[in-house]
Amino acid sequence: MVINIYYGGRGIIEDPTLYVLQRIEKVLDELAISHTRYNLYDMRNNITTLPQTFKNADGIIIADNVEWLGLSGLTHQFLDACWFYADKEKISSLYMTPVVVSTTYGEKEAHNTLIKAWEMLGGKLCDGISCYVSDTIEFESNPVYADLIEHITENIRRSIVQKRVKLPSSNYALRQTLTKASLELTPKESEQLSKYVSDEVYVQKQKEDIEELSAHYKQILGAQGTDIKSALVNTFNNHFTKKSDLNATYQFIIDDKTYLYMAIQNGELTLNYEKRDNTDVIIKLTSDTLSNITYGRITFQGAFMTSVMKLKGNMGLVRALDTAFNFMD
């Protein structure tokens, strides 16, 4: 059995959450359970890649210290990474134990937030720890509290081994609604995207290149006196490669004000400047970014990976655009 621990506190000596984790790790050692702790404060630049560490885990523990108002920013970033980049199929079989210790107020609210987040991700739950500590020394020297922590840790093992099931929650139903509006990524795509996002140097370099190309492309269009809307339609038509196996509709939102509808059906391309509902994919980007794509300087997928293009819908249909249009030639 393998259990990963993700600690979102600041790592200060006065944090009683560290004592709780030490007691948990002691019991896990006694039970011969393999465990690894990931301190989020040491991994600020790589939090988006942490969901990839779920692969071999049977259960995880998310621990945090409430110092003034709810969960820490690092824990929120970690949960965001789970939503955007984690393998949801893996999460569906992964047990999570919430551990929240407060030195001020709000441990129950933070504890419930972790539960709600994990249920919305589709994962399974173990009974966790939620407590308030006013005096760290008294808390750590109390043998009753130590026994309680050890007992809860033993229950974590039992829950995972016995594959315990909890009654359904409305959070699971809410997840179904939210998932429909989220990206459909394969585990490999999620892993690649999380690595791109965590590489700040790569992302910044791509953004600088796009800005430079945008200025260059604008200068060319201005010199030629070309109508950009017409030029865009002509460019799509001229670079379209008929693909009988691709049938999809796209709504481009350009500069938050221009709507371009695209339909590819049975190898035929249709383009109209209009707003359509219920398209397969919604793509939001600037005219500069779209110009760079049609100029062959960056792909649709590359624009998404570097966060200069946002989308809602099936990621596979976005990749298909790079095949349907040979802008790179």
Side-chain angles (χ1 to χ4, degrees):
M1 182 182 296
V2 176
I3 292 179
N4 291 345
I5 302 171
Y6 302 89
Y7 167 65
R10 293 189 294 149
I12 58 177
I13 297 176
E14 297 83 2
D15 183 358
T17 313
L18 295 175
Y19 165 74
V20 174
L21 291 181
Q22 290 168 3
R23 300 298 304 185
I24 290 175
E25 290 168 333
K26 177 177 178 294
V27 176
L28 294 178
D29 287 333
E30 293 172 352
L31 296 172
I33 296 175
S34 176
H35 58 88
T36 302
R37 187 199 298 184
Y38 297 90
N39 295 320
L40 302 187
Y41 62 84
D42 282 334
M43 309 184 72
R44 295 174 183 272
N45 297 328
N46 297 305
I47 288 180
T48 57
T49 63
L50 283 180
Q52 308 310 320
T53 60
F54 293 166
K55 290 180 180 178
N56 300 318
D58 300 291
I60 69 170
I61 296 172
I62 302 180
D64 204 356
N65 172 227
V66 178
E67 295 188 82
W68 76 287
L69 185 62
L71 296 172
S72 70
L74 293 175
T75 298
H76 277 293
Q77 288 182 45
F78 174 67
L79 292 173
D80 284 346
C82 291
W83 176 256
F84 290 112
Y85 313 118
D87 179 355
K88 302 304 189 300
E89 183 176 349
K90 173 60 181 178
I91 286 182
S92 67
S93 64
L94 195 61
Y95 283 81
M96 189 278 287
T97 300
V99 173
V100 178
V101 182
S102 171
T103 52
T104 52
Y105 170 79
E107 71 283 354
K108 292 188 181 298
E109 289 81 356
H111 184 266
N112 289 334
T113 297
L114 285 178
I115 292 175
K116 180 179 179 180
W118 198 250
E119 286 180 336
M120 291 175 66
L121 285 164
K124 301 181 182 297
L125 289 167
C126 296
D127 293 332
I129 296 173
S130 172
C131 63
Y132 165 72
V133 176
S134 59
D135 188 319
T136 303
I137 296 177
E138 179 184 351
F139 176 72
E140 295 181 3
S141 60
N142 191 317
V144 176
Y145 296 156
D147 289 341
L148 284 172
I149 295 170
E150 292 175 5
H151 178 69
I152 292 173
T153 306
E154 292 170 356
N155 279 337
I156 295 173
R157 183 190 68 82
R158 293 192 189 97
S159 295
I160 297 175
V161 170
Q162 298 174 8
K163 299 186 182 300
R164 290 180 181 174
V165 178
K166 291 185 176 291
L167 292 171
S169 164
S170 60
N171 289 330
Y172 289 107
L174 180 59
R175 174 184 178 272
Q176 297 302 316
T177 301
L178 293 175
T179 302
K180 293 178 182 178
S182 64
L183 293 178
E184 299 176 13
L185 301 177
T186 65
K188 184 176 181 180
E189 289 170 345
S190 297
E191 183 174 357
Q192 290 176 336
L193 181 57
S194 66
K195 290 179 180 179
Y196 275 122
V197 173
S198 66
D199 189 344
E200 294 183 359
V201 175
Y202 173 81
V203 173
Q204 184 60 35
K205 180 64 168 60
Q206 290 295 309
K207 288 182 177 180
E208 290 174 355
D209 289 345
I210 289 173
E211 289 177 359
E212 181 179 347
L213 290 166
S214 296
H216 176 67
Y217 193 50
K218 273 185 174 181
Q219 183 178 6
I220 292 176
L221 286 177
Q224 294 177 347
T226 307
D227 178 79
I228 294 179
K229 280 190 175 183
S230 299
L232 182 59
V233 170
N234 291 335
T235 300
F236 273 117
N237 283 318
N238 293 335
H239 291 82
F240 179 62
T241 302
K242 291 189 176 182
K243 287 181 61 64
S244 59
D245 59 334
L246 176 58
N247 291 282
T249 56
Y250 304 84
Q251 177 72 79
F252 289 85
I253 304 176
I254 308 167
D255 295 330
D256 291 324
K257 61 182 180 180
T258 303
Y259 294 84
L260 175 63
Y261 170 75
M262 175 189 292
I264 302 176
Q265 303 289 339
N266 301 318
E268 297 297 329
L269 174 64
T270 301
L271 290 166
N272 292 302
Y273 280 99
E274 60 179 304
K275 185 177 181 180
R276 291 281 192 97
D277 296 325
N278 301 320
T279 55
D280 296 319
V281 182
I282 298 175
I283 297 176
K284 187 176 182 180
L285 73 178
T286 65
S287 55
D288 290 341
T289 300
L290 187 54
S291 295
N292 283 311
I293 292 173
T294 58
Y295 202 53
R297 300 300 186 181
I298 188 172
T299 63
F300 281 101
Q301 185 173 1
F304 173 68
M305 291 295 189
T306 53
S307 301
V308 295
M309 183 181 86
K310 298 179 180 179
L311 66 92
K312 182 185 296 184
N314 190 327
M315 180 62 184
L317 294 178
V318 176
R319 290 198 310 271
L321 287 175
D322 290 323
T323 303
F325 297 94
N326 57 346
F327 293 125
M328 304 299 289
D329 292 344

